[in-house]
Amino acid sequence: MSLDSPIPTPVGPLCRTVIEPSLGWQPINVRELWQFRELLGFLVWRDVKVRYKQTLLGAAWAVLQPAMMMVVFTVFFARLAKVPTGDLPYPLFVYAGLLPWMFFSTSISQAAQSVVNSERLITKVYFPRLAIPFASIGAAVVDFGIALILLLAMMAWYGIRP
Protein backbone atom coordinates (compact mmCIF):
# COMPACT_ATOMS: atom_id res chain seq x y z
CA MET A 1 0.00 0.00 0.00
CA SER A 2 1.49 3.34 -1.00
CA LEU A 3 1.29 6.54 0.94
CA ASP A 4 -0.87 8.14 -1.74
CA SER A 5 -3.71 5.63 -1.49
CA PRO A 6 -6.77 6.61 0.54
CA ILE A 7 -7.43 5.02 3.92
CA PRO A 8 -10.06 2.32 3.59
CA THR A 9 -13.35 3.06 5.37
CA PRO A 10 -15.88 0.55 6.66
CA VAL A 11 -18.81 -0.18 4.44
CA GLY A 12 -22.23 0.60 5.88
CA PRO A 13 -23.65 3.13 8.29
CA LEU A 14 -21.43 4.49 11.06
CA CYS A 15 -22.48 3.64 14.60
CA ARG A 16 -22.36 6.25 17.30
CA THR A 17 -21.86 5.20 20.90
CA VAL A 18 -22.94 7.69 23.52
CA ILE A 19 -21.64 7.19 27.05
CA GLU A 20 -23.61 9.02 29.70
CA PRO A 21 -23.12 9.06 33.45
CA SER A 22 -25.73 7.29 35.50
CA LEU A 23 -27.88 9.41 37.74
CA GLY A 24 -28.04 9.10 41.52
CA TRP A 25 -26.53 6.48 43.74
CA GLN A 26 -25.68 3.18 42.15
CA PRO A 27 -25.82 -0.13 44.01
CA ILE A 28 -22.59 -2.00 44.63
CA ASN A 29 -22.10 -4.64 41.97
CA VAL A 30 -21.38 -7.55 44.28
CA ARG A 31 -21.36 -10.05 41.40
CA GLU A 32 -18.52 -8.17 39.69
CA LEU A 33 -16.57 -7.95 42.95
CA TRP A 34 -17.05 -11.70 43.41
CA GLN A 35 -15.69 -12.33 39.90
CA PHE A 36 -12.56 -10.37 40.84
CA ARG A 37 -12.16 -11.94 44.30
CA GLU A 38 -8.75 -13.33 43.42
CA LEU A 39 -7.53 -9.86 42.49
CA LEU A 40 -8.95 -8.55 45.76
CA GLY A 41 -7.01 -11.21 47.66
CA PHE A 42 -3.78 -10.29 45.88
CA LEU A 43 -4.35 -6.60 46.62
CA VAL A 44 -4.91 -7.34 50.31
CA TRP A 45 -1.77 -9.47 50.37
CA ARG A 46 0.17 -6.66 48.66
CA ASP A 47 -1.02 -4.10 51.23
CA VAL A 48 -0.16 -6.38 54.16
CA LYS A 49 3.31 -7.12 52.76
CA VAL A 50 4.01 -3.44 52.13
CA ARG A 51 2.79 -2.43 55.58
CA TYR A 52 4.93 -4.93 57.46
CA LYS A 53 7.95 -4.69 55.20
CA GLN A 54 8.25 -0.94 55.79
CA THR A 55 8.22 -1.13 59.57
CA LEU A 56 11.10 -2.25 61.71
CA LEU A 57 8.80 -3.90 64.22
CA GLY A 58 6.66 -5.73 61.66
CA ALA A 59 3.47 -7.29 62.97
CA ALA A 60 4.30 -6.17 66.52
CA TRP A 61 3.32 -2.66 65.44
CA ALA A 62 -0.31 -3.80 65.14
CA VAL A 63 -0.23 -4.71 68.84
CA LEU A 64 2.18 -2.05 70.09
CA GLN A 65 0.20 0.93 68.80
CA PRO A 66 -3.11 0.18 70.61
CA ALA A 67 -1.21 -1.13 73.65
CA MET A 68 0.67 2.15 74.04
CA MET A 69 -2.56 4.12 73.63
CA MET A 70 -4.09 1.90 76.31
CA VAL A 71 -1.24 2.73 78.67
CA VAL A 72 -1.67 6.47 78.05
CA PHE A 73 -5.44 6.33 78.52
CA THR A 74 -5.05 4.21 81.64
CA VAL A 75 -2.62 6.68 83.17
CA PHE A 76 -4.65 9.77 82.35
CA PHE A 77 -8.24 8.61 82.71
CA ALA A 78 -7.96 5.95 85.43
CA ARG A 79 -5.36 7.59 87.63
CA LEU A 80 -5.88 11.33 87.08
CA ALA A 81 -9.52 11.68 85.97
CA LYS A 82 -10.77 8.62 87.91
CA VAL A 83 -13.28 7.58 85.22
CA PRO A 84 -15.42 4.69 86.54
CA THR A 85 -15.52 1.39 84.60
CA GLY A 86 -17.83 -0.69 86.75
CA ASP A 87 -16.34 -4.09 87.55
CA LEU A 88 -13.93 -4.21 84.61
CA PRO A 89 -10.21 -3.57 85.00
CA TYR A 90 -9.43 -0.23 83.39
CA PRO A 91 -6.76 -1.44 80.91
CA LEU A 92 -9.16 -4.06 79.57
CA PHE A 93 -11.98 -1.52 79.40
CA VAL A 94 -9.84 0.92 77.41
CA TYR A 95 -8.31 -1.66 75.09
CA ALA A 96 -11.71 -3.17 74.26
CA GLY A 97 -12.88 0.31 73.22
CA LEU A 98 -9.70 1.28 71.39
CA LEU A 99 -9.57 -1.84 69.26
CA PRO A 100 -12.73 -1.29 67.16
CA TRP A 101 -12.14 2.46 67.04
CA MET A 102 -8.62 2.07 65.68
CA PHE A 103 -9.86 -0.48 63.14
CA PHE A 104 -12.56 1.93 61.97
CA SER A 105 -10.32 4.99 61.78
CA THR A 106 -7.49 3.11 60.07
CA SER A 107 -9.88 1.54 57.57
CA ILE A 108 -11.48 4.83 56.59
CA SER A 109 -8.25 6.79 56.28
CA GLN A 110 -6.39 4.08 54.36
CA ALA A 111 -9.34 3.35 52.08
CA ALA A 112 -9.56 7.01 51.11
CA GLN A 113 -5.82 7.27 50.53
CA SER A 114 -5.64 3.98 48.61
CA VAL A 115 -7.63 5.35 45.68
CA VAL A 116 -5.18 8.24 45.31
CA ASN A 117 -2.14 5.99 45.71
CA SER A 118 -3.39 3.49 43.12
CA GLU A 119 -4.23 6.08 40.47
CA ARG A 120 -1.91 4.56 37.87
CA LEU A 121 -3.35 1.09 38.33
CA ILE A 122 -6.91 2.39 38.13
CA THR A 123 -6.33 4.29 34.89
CA LYS A 124 -4.54 1.48 33.05
CA VAL A 125 -6.47 -1.73 33.82
CA TYR A 126 -10.17 -2.50 34.12
CA PHE A 127 -11.38 -4.05 37.36
CA PRO A 128 -14.02 -3.05 39.92
CA ARG A 129 -12.81 0.18 41.43
CA LEU A 130 -14.11 -0.79 44.86
CA ALA A 131 -11.46 -3.51 45.01
CA ILE A 132 -8.81 -0.92 45.90
CA PRO A 133 -10.48 0.49 49.05
CA PHE A 134 -11.74 -2.98 50.03
CA ALA A 135 -8.16 -4.26 49.86
CA SER A 136 -6.94 -1.59 52.25
CA ILE A 137 -9.80 -2.46 54.62
CA GLY A 138 -8.76 -6.11 54.33
CA ALA A 139 -5.25 -5.17 55.43
CA ALA A 140 -6.75 -3.32 58.41
CA VAL A 141 -8.69 -6.50 59.27
CA VAL A 142 -5.36 -8.33 59.51
CA ASP A 143 -4.11 -5.69 61.98
CA PHE A 144 -7.36 -5.98 63.92
CA GLY A 145 -6.98 -9.76 64.13
CA ILE A 146 -3.42 -9.48 65.43
CA ALA A 147 -4.43 -6.90 68.05
CA LEU A 148 -7.46 -9.01 69.02
CA ILE A 149 -5.07 -11.73 70.20
CA LEU A 150 -3.75 -9.31 72.85
CA LEU A 151 -7.33 -8.52 73.94
CA LEU A 152 -8.06 -12.22 74.38
CA ALA A 153 -4.82 -12.64 76.34
CA MET A 154 -5.75 -9.71 78.57
CA MET A 155 -9.20 -11.18 79.15
CA ALA A 156 -7.63 -14.49 80.17
CA TRP A 157 -5.17 -12.66 82.45
CA TYR A 158 -7.93 -10.78 84.27
CA GLY A 159 -10.22 -13.84 84.31
CA ILE A 160 -12.98 -12.23 82.24
CA ARG A 161 -14.97 -14.37 79.82
CA PRO A 162 -16.39 -12.98 76.58
Side-chain angles (χ1 to χ4, degrees):
M1 192 158 102
S2 69
L3 294 176
D4 296 333
S5 66
I7 298 174
T9 58
V11 179
L14 294 176
C15 294
R16 178 184 290 188
T17 303
V18 179
I19 301 173
E20 294 179 355
S22 52
L23 301 173
W25 288 88
Q26 298 299 312
I28 295 175
N29 191 349
V30 179
R31 182 175 291 142
E32 187 180 36
L33 281 170
W34 181 253
Q35 289 174 345
F36 285 87
R37 65 187 178 274
E38 223 175 287
L39 172 67
L40 183 61
F42 281 118
L43 290 174
V44 169
W45 181 245
R46 177 197 66 168
D47 287 351
V48 168
K49 276 184 11 182
V50 165
R51 180 174 303 162
Y52 293 136
K53 191 180 284 187
Q54 290 180 350
T55 61
L56 184 63
L57 298 173
W61 184 249
V63 174
L64 200 60
Q65 188 178 13
M68 289 298 115
M69 288 182 72
M70 175 196 64
V71 169
V72 169
F73 281 162
T74 301
V75 167
F76 283 106
F77 290 121
R79 305 280 187 255
L80 301 176
K82 305 225 187 290
V83 175
T85 63
D87 294 338
L88 287 176
Y90 202 80
L92 185 62
F93 175 76
V94 169
Y95 194 78
L98 275 174
L99 203 57
W101 171 250
M102 290 187 67
F103 167 69
F104 177 75
S105 66
T106 302
S107 296
I108 295 297
S109 65
Q110 288 180 354
Q113 191 63 34
S114 69
V115 176
V116 175
N117 291 342
S118 300
E119 176 262 337
R120 290 188 180 186
L121 180 63
I122 290 172
T123 57
K124 295 200 184 323
V125 181
Y126 176 77
F127 59 92
R129 300 305 181 231
L130 279 176
I132 297 289
F134 280 3
S136 64
I137 292 171
V141 167
V142 172
D143 285 349
F144 179 78
I146 293 170
L148 188 65
I149 294 170
L150 178 62
L151 177 64
L152 296 174
M154 287 174 60
M155 290 174 75
W157 175 266
Y158 286 113
I160 302 213
R161 293 177 31 199

